[in-house]
Amino acid sequence: QVQVVESGGGLVQPGGSLRLSCAASGSGFVINAMGWYRQAPGMQRELVARISTDGSTNYADSVKGRFTISGDNAKNTVYLQMNSLKREDTAVYYCEVTVTTPVNSRSYLYWGQGTQVTVSS
C-alpha cells in the first residue's frame, strides 16, 4: 500500500506563487512517475504536470512557462512550483503516483486527497 500526502495549497492573489509538495510512503514498491492533476468545479480532472524517475517531464499547455515540476527520488517526493498564477488556475490539485510492485511486476496508480488552490484578489 502506498500513502500519498499533499501539502502547500492555499489562497493567493493573481500573479502570485505557490509551491505544492507531495510525498509517497510505504513499502514494496518502485515509483515510476509522479504528477499533479487538478479539478475545478464542474470540470473534469486534468493533467497539470508529470515527472518520471528518469527526469522526463510533461506539462499541460496552459501552465507551460509558469509551472515547474521537480522530484527528489531519494525522498519519494515531487514538487510543483506555480508562478504567475491566474484565476483560472483555481482548482483542487491532486498528486498521482504510479508504482510497480516487484513481487508481481504490476503497475498501480495512487491518488492523494487533494489540496485546494484558490487564486483571487
Side-chain angles (χ1 to χ4, degrees):
Q1 190 72 12
V2 178
Q3 291 77 46
V4 181
V5 179
E6 306 119 328
S7 62
L11 173 65
V12 64
Q13 292 186 343
S17 298
L18 278 177
R19 188 190 194 213
L20 305 182
S21 300
C22 171
S25 62
S27 62
F29 63 90
V30 175
I31 292 178
N32 302 126
M34 298 179 73
W36 290 96
Y37 289 71
R38 66 186 180 187
Q39 187 167 20
M43 304 292 286
Q44 289 190 332
R45 191 173 297 188
E46 62 175 2
L47 172 70
V48 177
R50 200 164 184 263
I51 184 168
S52 298
T53 49
D54 64 1
S56 59
T57 59
N58 60 300
Y59 294 89
D61 288 343
S62 59
V63 307
K64 285 180 180 177
R66 300 188 298 123
F67 291 10
T68 302
I69 190 168
S70 60
D72 184 335
N73 290 340
K75 296 181 179 179
N76 290 342
T77 298
V78 66
Y79 307 96
L80 185 68
Q81 179 66 43
M82 305 185 292
N83 298 328
S84 302
L85 281 160
K86 305 176 181 180
R87 288 182 174 83
E88 51 263 42
D89 294 317
T90 296
V92 178
Y93 284 68
Y94 296 91
C95 180
E96 166 261 324
V97 181
T98 303
V99 308
T100 299
T101 51
V103 66
N104 59 10
S105 298
R106 296 181 67 176
S107 293
Y108 300 89
L109 190 150
Y110 293 90
W111 293 95
Q113 78 286 354
T115 185
Q116 178 69 46
V117 172
T118 302
V119 184
S120 176
S121 54

